[in-house]
Amino acid sequence: MAANYSDIDIAPFIDHSLLMPTATPEQVEQWCEEAYRFNFAAVCLHPCYVKQAAELLHGKQPQVCTVIGFPMGATTSAVKLYEAQEATENGATELDLMINLGWLKVGNTEAIHREIAEICEETGQTVKVILETNLLTDAEKKLAAEISMEAGAGFLKTSTGWNGGATVADVRLLKEITKERVGIKASGGIRTYNEAIELILVGATRLGTSRSIDLIRQRDNLERGQKLLP
């Protein structure tokens, strides 16, 4: 599907992500300022920076999002719950939760459901469950999606970005599975404006990317080029 030009404003879809291990408080301040200036949906940061971001964005549009059990999902459920509760207390309103893929592979669905449901119930925040789709079969993606929706997730998120990124095929599959009952966050490897548009067109309702400003610049360049066309 070609997507050279579009009337879609991608900014409100973007979770402006700062999840590299070397992220600094100065970068957090920059990311928050950019999220506000460009009207991004959220900033997505490590838990240690939630309080700073919540203070910087108090009373402003962008949500404060953080990651739970990131990036492997193999910490215990008790640790994930504590991490989610602490993040909520510090001001996070969205939680990107990495599931335990080992449990999924062996069919321990009850433990996965319980972990997600407990975090949803105890925090009351929007939970985006990270599936890490590049490591799953289509049957496993369907199973993980159904468990997550049953447990109260508000979004399904394709990837952490550590094991490959979002694909059009996976977003399309998740849309078919969810039937628009929850949001879909395409995350990882989104490098161009056209890629972002294509993911939105097949069903993504959020885009997780650290290249947010690059995407906006590409959009602006395309718009300028379009205006120059006869």
Side-chain angles (χ1 to χ4, degrees), residues 19 46 67-73 83 96 98 130 157 160 162:
L19 295 171
H46 291 299
V67 286
I68 305 299
F70 187 86
M72 300 302 176
E83 191 174 26
D96 286 17
M98 182 64 211
I130 308 171
K157 178 177 172 179
T160 61
W162 288 61

Side-chain angles (χ1 to χ4, degrees), residues 7-84:
D7 292 330
I8 298 172
D9 179 8
I10 66 168
F13 287 82
I14 290 175
D15 283 4
H16 193 31
S17 303
L18 180 64
L19 295 171
M20 71 273 284
T22 56
T24 66
E26 291 75 19
Q27 288 175 308
V28 170
E29 186 172 356
Q30 176 189 337
W31 253 245
C32 289
E33 191 277 328
E34 289 169 347
Y36 175 64
R37 177 153 49 100
F38 290 100
N39 194 37
F40 295 146
V43 289
C44 189
L45 308 159
H46 291 299
C48 64
Y49 291 127
V50 165
K51 193 168 186 179
Q52 179 188 358
E55 291 171 355
L56 289 167
L57 290 172
H58 179 70
K60 297 178 180 177
Q61 172 65 26
Q63 300 297 304
V64 176
C65 173
T66 194
V67 286
I68 305 299
F70 187 86
M72 300 302 176
T75 50
T76 67
S77 295
V79 168
K80 289 182 185 177
L81 177 60
Y82 178 83
E83 191 174 26

Side-chain angles (χ1 to χ4, degrees), residues 145-162:
E146 289 172 347
I147 295 167
S148 301
M149 289 188 290
E150 266 185 37
F155 283 78
L156 301 178
K157 178 177 172 179
T158 61
S159 324
T160 61
W162 288 61

Side-chain angles (χ1 to χ4, degrees), residues 2 5 16 23-24 30 36-37 83 99 103 120 123 145 147 149 153 161 166-167 169 175-176 179 196 206 214 229-230:
Y5 302 99
H16 193 31
T24 66
Q30 176 189 337
Y36 175 64
R37 177 153 49 100
E83 191 174 26
I99 64 169
W103 287 353
C120 290
T123 66
I147 295 167
M149 289 188 290
T167 68
K175 185 177 181 182
E176 291 172 2
K179 302 187 186 331
R206 287 283 186 92
D214 287 342
L229 292 175

Side-chain angles (χ1 to χ4, degrees), residues 145-217:
E146 289 172 347
I147 295 167
S148 301
M149 289 188 290
E150 266 185 37
F155 283 78
L156 301 178
K157 178 177 172 179
T158 61
S159 324
T160 61
W162 288 61
N163 296 286
T167 68
V168 166
D170 278 339
V171 172
R172 186 182 285 117
L173 176 63
L174 291 177
K175 185 177 181 182
E176 291 172 2
I177 294 167
T178 62
K179 302 187 186 331
E180 300 184 355
R181 287 173 286 172
V182 298
I184 297 170
K185 179 174 173 178
S187 182
I190 305 171
R191 295 179 175 83
T192 71
Y193 174 75
N194 283 351
E195 288 171 350
I197 289 294
E198 193 166 9
L199 289 165
I200 291 170
L201 291 176
V202 297
T205 55
R206 287 283 186 92
L207 303 172
T209 178
S210 60
R211 298 180 174 87
S212 317
I213 305 305
D214 287 342
L215 299 183
I216 296 299
R217 286 172 180 156

